[in-house]
Structure formats: C-alpha cells, structure tokens
Amino acid sequence: MGASLGSLWPAPPEGDVIAQGTVMDVGGEAELCLGPIAESYPPQCSGIPIPDWTWEGVEGSESSGDTTWGAYAVQGTYDGEEFTLSQPPIMLALYDPMMQDDPTGGEPGQGDEAMLAGIQDELPDILQEAYLGSSVENGWLYIDVVWDDGTWQKAADDDYGDDTVIVRSAMRPVDG
C-alpha cells in the first residue's frame, strides 16, 4: 500500500467551516461529535471540544442527569483541536444544506472488494482520531474524516489511483 495517506496531514481551515453533528455536553464539557454515537441513554460519543458552548437560547436538546445533547449544524472555526462557534447553532431538523456534487461523476470506481477492504482495515491506524468511518460502494472506498482540504484526497489518489478512493470532509468551508 502507499505511504502518502499516513504521512500527510491537512492544515486546519483558515476561515469558518460548517459541520453537522451531535453536540454532547457532559457536566459542562461540550463536544461536537461527527462520528458514531452510542445508542445508550444518554447517548455517548467522543468529539471535538467546543469551548464556551451554552444551551441558552438553543432549542432541540434533551437531557438526562448531567448530560445534555442535540443534533445541530454549527458554524465556526476549527484549529485542529477545538471548534469555536461564530454563529448560533441550527437544529438539524431545520437545516437545509446545499447538495454536494457527486465526486465520482456517476462512474464506477476501479477498486475490487479485496483491495478496498484491505485499505479500509488500515484506515483507523493511519488517520487516527480524524477517521470517522468508511464504506465501499460501486468500486469506490468512501472515507469520512473530520477535515480535509484536499490533502488526503491527493494522497489517496497518489497511493491508490484517481479512481479508487473518495475522501469526504465532515467540515466544509463556508462559501462566500
């Protein structure tokens, strides 16, 4: 397998980004969870710290014990470690994002099941806490990460070819 994907890391975004996820606040420590959520009650997850988060004026949350959570679209800055809000959160039920273009152009990928499964097995070790999940579909391996500015997509293309892996960033730059 290639070596670029594990050796290159994208720089944090320079401007505001938007992300959709669960805000989980346990005992006053809020985190933005972009990956899996444990379906316990209350739910559990591990995410990106959100300093200065307040539930004041924020609708759509639920609480149990010292845990409060809700699903939101959030806009702010990400420095690679923390997410700082620049706009009030929007309940995901009320958020209507622009549809993203299909990066495959509707064409099948060139990966075979065994090769894609092999790449997929290595991803948690390679991408560490930035790795959110992955799936195989129509000859493509879709890799979901916290943030990519194109660095990881280029590395994946260099390692596996232009028609095998699609890297999808959970945080997206705010247009305009």
Side-chain angles (χ1 to χ4, degrees):
M1 296 288 166
S4 294
L5 191 57
S7 65
L8 301 174
W9 288 78
E14 291 185 17
D16 271 15
V17 292
I18 194 154
Q20 301 173 51
T22 298
V23 174
M24 185 74 56
D25 181 340
V26 180
E29 299 291 323
E31 295 181 307
L32 173 60
C33 299
L34 299 172
I37 309 293
E39 294 184 23
S40 55
Y41 193 84
Q44 300 173 42
C45 65
S46 179
I48 300 162
I50 310 174
D52 303 323
W53 175 269
T54 178
W55 291 103
E56 188 175 322
V58 176
E59 295 183 15
S61 66
E62 190 171 341
S63 295
S64 176
D66 69 345
T67 303
T68 303
W69 69 94
Y72 301 97
V74 292
Q75 180 176 326
T77 57
Y78 175 61
D79 66 5
E81 295 182 18
E82 294 182 334
F83 191 92
T84 303
L85 292 176
S86 63
Q87 299 291 321
I90 301 169
M91 284 180 14
L92 275 186
L94 303 177
Y95 182 65
D96 188 18
M98 294 293 294
M99 189 164 176
Q100 299 293 310
D101 291 335
D102 178 359
T104 71
E107 297 295 321
Q110 298 303 307
D112 63 59
E113 292 291 323
M115 179 183 94
L116 297 176
I119 299 168
Q120 196 172 23
D121 288 346
E122 297 175 352
L123 292 174
D125 290 334
I126 292 172
L127 299 176
Q128 302 165 24
E129 68 279 351
Y131 175 72
L132 300 175
S134 59
S135 61
V136 173
E137 184 180 326
N138 199 21
W140 292 98
L141 175 59
Y142 291 89
I143 304 172
D144 296 316
V145 297
V146 170
W147 165 251
D148 184 34
D149 60 2
T151 299
W152 279 339
Q153 181 64 63
K154 181 175 181 341
D157 291 347
D158 289 349
D159 287 351
Y160 311 113
D162 291 348
D163 50 8
T164 306
V165 173
I166 300 291
V167 178
R168 300 184 294 198
S169 180
M171 293 184 188
R172 302 180 193 274
V174 173
D175 296 326

